[in-house]
Amino acid sequence: MKFYFPDSQDLVSPSYDFINDEYSPLRVRQRDDLYAHEVLKAPAYDGLLVSKAIVDGSVRGAGKYTLAQRQRLYRLGVRKFFRLPDDVVTLGDCGAFNYVDEPEPPYTVDEVLDFYEECGFDAGVSVDHIILGYLRAGNGETPPEEWIERRRISLCYAEKFIGAVHDRDSKVEPVGAAQGWDPSSYADSVRRLQDMGYVRIALGGMVPLKTPDIVDSLRAIAEIRVPRTKLHLLGITRVESIEAFAHLGVTSFDSTSAFRQSFKDDKDNFHTFDTTYTAIRVPQVDANVKLKRAILAGQVSQKEAIAAERHALDVLRQFDRGAAAIDDVLEAVLGYDKLIGVLKDYEAPYRRTLADRPWQTCGCGLCEKYGIEMIIFRGTERNKRRGFHNLSVLAAKMAALPRGGRSERNENGR
């Protein structure tokens, strides 16, 4: 089972000053900042997934690359641009979630294949149009015409895409995109893609589905899947179900879930092999929008907020050195919360985090270097480092899964 990390230009600055919360004036982002595979001790992913919509910004609000970065990607190619080690493979796709509101995909087959070839991707997913809806088997519902049309569009583009790959004698491995709204429609999409000649098929639109619904669809697909066909789950992690997915033909998946939980989740921010912990929030007075508004409205004293913020950070660092007790930290952090108007009570999860000190026993390479800064919920440099740490934990969980199973036997034709 291979894990692909979707790129969104997530890097960290090795020269960032955590004490003063500032970047070096000599920093050049693309030259100096580092990707997860450059800062973690062990590989965190087998592959990198890069979406055309994220790179070229042709879909409103989707672009994450500057013009200079786009030009650099095309000039250097995906491997050199990301400074990838030899064992990390690359997969391109269109980023269908970014144009879900459009009546049709904004790209032609030739535009997409040009992107894959010019950037030097190992493999590329055919153009698809995502279906955000699901009908459970046996409920008797009829799919909306829009869903039927989106599946037709996806299959039509897939046929043109593999044809273009063959016509150009392209080095890009074609991956067919399958869309559906229930187990039978997903299975039919996979059957048609196999008939077109695809041996790798990516299942899209499953992110909102519950795990049993994904399994039901995979079981239906298993009935028609030929032994050589390898399945990829787009946007799905579900580590607890990966073994079951593998038995049903899934050989790879991609997801940003572990990374994004570091700064998007309310409590599951710092992962370990067996559990998760809540990161300790110390928002920046000069960067927190809500706090700045409260200060401007006269609801919070800026001078008091800055003093409380600095005190909370100082006590946290003393705690990491063994010079402060848990109650000292909680008094400082929760006192800062109260001053700036945080209504949620984090005392219990914070106490658990501080009592277990999970960053002190982690060997990811970041925790040893940055210590308690890894558990502080504050700004992109800390939050992304914690996200990279979470990727290393996901890799460890994947490595611990039993190997082999029915999917491996299928690939051997047995």
Side-chain angles (χ1 to χ4, degrees):
M1 182 71 70
K2 295 186 182 297
F3 169 58
Y4 288 72
F5 180 55
D7 160 66
S8 192
Q9 278 303 283
D10 294 305
L11 304 95
V12 294
S13 171
S15 61
Y16 186 76
D17 181 349
F18 286 98
I19 301 301
N20 296 304
D21 273 311
E22 60 185 20
Y23 290 97
S24 165
L26 302 177
R27 170 203 182 216
V28 177
R29 186 172 186 267
Q30 185 61 40
R31 182 194 68 192
D32 300 330
D33 289 8
L34 302 175
Y35 295 99
H37 53 269
E38 297 180 295
V39 296
L40 293 169
K41 278 188 174 179
Y45 34 81
D46 304 288
L48 191 72
L49 183 148
V50 182
S51 296
K52 180 173 172 58
I54 297 296
V55 172
D56 66 20
S58 57
V59 181
R60 186 173 58 184
K64 298 292 184 181
Y65 283 58
T66 64
L67 176 60
Q69 287 172 326
R70 288 199 297 274
Q71 292 174 337
R72 183 178 173 83
L73 173 61
Y74 278 98
R75 185 176 72 253
L76 295 178
V78 65
R79 301 204 67 82
K80 287 186 177 179
F81 179 87
F82 287 101
R83 304 185 290 270
L84 291 174
D86 293 339
D87 57 352
V88 175
V89 295
T90 58
L91 176 65
D93 82 343
C94 296
F97 266 108
N98 295 289
Y99 55 81
V100 64
D101 295 327
E102 302 297 323
E104 292 186 3
Y107 310 119
T108 67
V109 166
D110 285 333
E111 287 172 338
V112 171
L113 189 51
D114 286 345
F115 169 65
Y116 296 160
E117 289 183 331
E118 290 176 32
C119 294
F121 285 96
D122 297 311
V125 182
S126 62
V127 184
D128 62 332
H129 210 17
I130 199 166
I131 297 171
L132 290 180
Y134 189 79
L135 303 178
R136 289 179 175 80
N139 63 6
E141 291 184 69
T142 301
E145 285 296 324
E146 181 190 358
W147 295 4
I148 296 173
E149 177 62 10
R150 283 175 177 246
R151 191 174 83 102
R152 186 198 67 77
I153 289 172
S154 298
L155 290 169
C156 181
Y157 271 99
E159 187 169 22
K160 292 178 180 178
F161 180 75
I162 198 168
V165 168
H166 292 156
D167 290 344
R168 295 189 189 188
D169 195 22
S170 178
K171 295 180 180 179
V172 176
E173 180 185 12
V175 181
Q179 292 289 339
W181 54 80
D182 63 8
S184 62
S185 60
Y186 270 113
D188 185 65
S189 291
V190 170
R191 178 185 64 78
R192 295 191 187 200
L193 291 168
Q194 288 180 149
D195 290 344
M196 294 175 198
Y198 285 99
V199 295
R200 286 184 68 185
I201 296 175
L203 307 178
M206 289 189 166
V207 172
L209 303 190
K210 295 180 179 179
T211 299
D213 295 329
I214 296 174
V215 171
D216 285 346
S217 293
L218 289 174
R219 284 174 177 159
I221 291 169
E223 296 298 318
I224 56 87
R225 184 176 67 86
V226 298
R228 66 176 184 169
T229 300
K230 298 179 179 180
L231 302 177
H232 178 96
L233 295 178
L234 289 165
I236 301 294
T237 310
R238 320 286 171 92
V239 174
E240 69 283 355
S241 301
I242 287 295
E243 190 176 352
F245 294 165
H247 280 289
L248 292 169
V250 176
T251 60
S252 60
F253 67 97
D254 68 85
S255 175
T256 59
S257 178
F259 174 76
R260 290 173 64 82
Q261 277 189 304
S262 70
F263 54 90
K264 288 289 187 181
D265 202 274
D266 186 52
K267 59 178 182 178
D268 297 329
N269 310 122
F270 186 97
H271 297 185
T272 67
F273 195 88
D274 300 310
T275 188
T276 60
Y277 291 90
T278 302
I280 298 172
R281 288 152 171 78
V282 187
Q284 294 170 263
V285 171
D286 60 352
N288 186 278
V289 175
K290 289 184 178 179
L291 185 50
K292 288 172 72 175
R293 287 174 181 169
I295 290 171
L296 289 172
Q299 299 168 345
V300 175
S301 163
Q302 184 177 33
K303 182 178 179 180
E304 290 181 11
I306 291 174
E309 173 194 18
R310 291 175 178 171
H311 177 61
L313 291 170
D314 185 52
V315 175
L316 278 164
R317 290 165 183 148
Q318 289 178 36
F319 174 79
D320 203 25
R321 299 192 300 268
I326 291 177
D327 286 339
D328 296 330
V329 177
L330 291 174
E331 181 181 2
V333 172
L334 297 178
Y336 180 47
D337 279 356
K338 183 177 180 181
L339 177 66
I340 64 176
V342 174
L343 300 178
K344 188 173 179 63
D345 183 6
Y346 284 104
E347 180 174 359
Y350 283 178
R351 185 177 291 278
R352 175 174 174 265
T353 297
L354 294 167
D356 289 358
R357 297 174 171 84
W359 66 93
Q360 291 187 349
T361 54
C362 174
C364 72
L366 290 171
C367 288
E368 299 125 305
K369 186 173 182 178
Y370 298 104
I372 202 166
E373 305 294 341
M374 293 289 292
I375 206 71
I376 299 175
F377 196 122
R378 173 187 173 85
T380 186
E381 289 294 332
R382 291 176 179 82
N383 294 345
K384 285 187 177 181
R385 280 173 169 78
R386 189 166 55 254
F388 288 173
H389 156 86
N390 288 351
L391 291 177
S392 75
V393 174
L394 175 60
K397 290 179 179 179
M398 294 294 299
L401 290 173
R403 305 213 177 252
R406 199 172 87 188
S407 61
E408 182 175 310
R409 292 197 298 273
N410 280 344
E411 290 169 24
N412 292 329
R414 300 177 184 175

